[in-house]
Amino acid sequence: MKRGFSFSVTVVVSAIVFIYFCTVFVFIDRWFGLMTSPGIMNAVAFTGVAFMCVLNYAYAILADPGRVPSSFMPDIEDPEVPIHEIKRKGGDLRFCQKCSCFKPPRAHHCRVCKRCILRMDHHCNWINNCVGHANYKVFFVFVVYAVIACIYSLILLVGSLTNDSQNDKQHSADTFRIAYVISGLLLVPLSVALSVLLGWHIYLILQNKTTIEYHEGVRAMWLAEKGGTVYKHPYDIGAYENLTTVLGPSIFCWICPFSRHIGNGLRFRTAYDRVSTSSTSK
C-alpha cells in the first residue's frame, strides 16, 4: 500500500517532539532539576511512556490493517460458520464491486485506501492509514500511552508553574513563558480529546464492536424494535472474552504492541457458536 507525505502525521510527530522536550527539559528540570533523583526518575518514566507511544504510533502507521485474500470465497455450507453477513437489499452475500471480491465478515471497503479492509473500524487521517484487523490493537495501545503521556506532562507543567511561583523567579519564568503557553494549549485539548477517544474504544472493545458496526447496530436495533424483536450484536461473546479477543489472552500483554492472537481476520467467534456447541453436545 503506497502512501505519500501526510500533513496530519507531520503535525502529530511535531507535537510529540515539542511536548517531550518541553516536559523533560523545561517542566521536570525547573521543578526537580534533571540531575536530582526525582528529576531522573520522572525523566526516565516519561521517556519510557513517550517511547511506547511513538513505537505504537509508528506501527499503526506502517502496518497493513488487513488485506482480503484474492482467493477468499465464503462457504455457506461450513458448519463452523453459524452466520453469514448479507446485503441489506436482496439478501445476497456481500460482494465488493470495486475490488471484485466477496467481503469476509466485518470487512468493508475504504474509499481512501481504495480496497477492502478486514474488520475495518475507520480510516484515521492522523495515522494516514485504516484502523483494521491487523493494527486495531496497536492503535488502541497508542491511544492509551498518548493519554498517559498527556496527563503526565500536564501534571508536570502545573507542578513546574507552581514551583516557579513559589520561588518567584520572574525573569526565568518570562524566558520559558512561550513554552508553557504552547504546551498548555496543546495538552489540555489533547488530554480531553484522547481521553474521550480512549473511553469510546474501551466501550467498543467491551461490546466487541467496530465503529462501523456500532452505527450499523443503531439502525439494526431500531428495525428490531419496529418489528417487535430484540437485536443482539452477533460478535458480543461477553465482556472479558471480548477483551481477550482484541487485546490478547494474558493481561500482561494488553498494553504491549503484540497481536499474534488475532487470527487471519476471515472468521470470528460469535454468540451463536455457544448455542451451536451446546445443542451439539445435547
Side-chain angles (χ1 to χ4, degrees), residues 177-240:
R177 182 168 295 174
I178 295 177
Y180 281 112
V181 171
I182 296 177
S183 297
L185 291 175
L186 283 173
L187 288 170
V188 172
L190 276 177
S191 298
V192 174
L194 288 172
S195 296
V196 171
L197 181 64
L198 177 61
W200 168 246
H201 280 281
I202 289 175
Y203 165 77
L204 290 178
I205 290 174
L206 290 174
Q207 299 289 321
N208 203 356
K209 293 179 181 179
T210 64
T211 300
I212 294 174
E213 289 169 351
Y214 169 80
H215 293 292
E216 290 179 340
V218 171
R219 174 181 168 80
M221 288 178 64
W222 178 76
L223 291 174
E225 289 178 3
K226 193 176 180 181
T229 59
V230 178
Y231 170 78
K232 177 176 173 58
H233 182 57
Y235 301 104
D236 184 1
I237 55 178
Y240 182 75

Side-chain angles (χ1 to χ4, degrees), residues 14-28 43-44 46-51 54 153 183 187:
S14 300
I16 291 173
V17 172
F18 179 82
I19 290 172
Y20 175 78
F21 277 95
C22 284
T23 302
V24 175
F25 298 105
V26 179
F27 309 154
I28 294 177
V44 170
F46 186 79
T47 299
V49 173
F51 173 77
V54 171
S153 180
S183 297
L187 288 170

Side-chain angles (χ1 to χ4, degrees), residues 50-62:
F51 173 77
M52 292 300 296
C53 184
V54 171
L55 178 66
N56 284 276
Y57 182 65
Y59 190 87
I61 293 172
L62 300 174

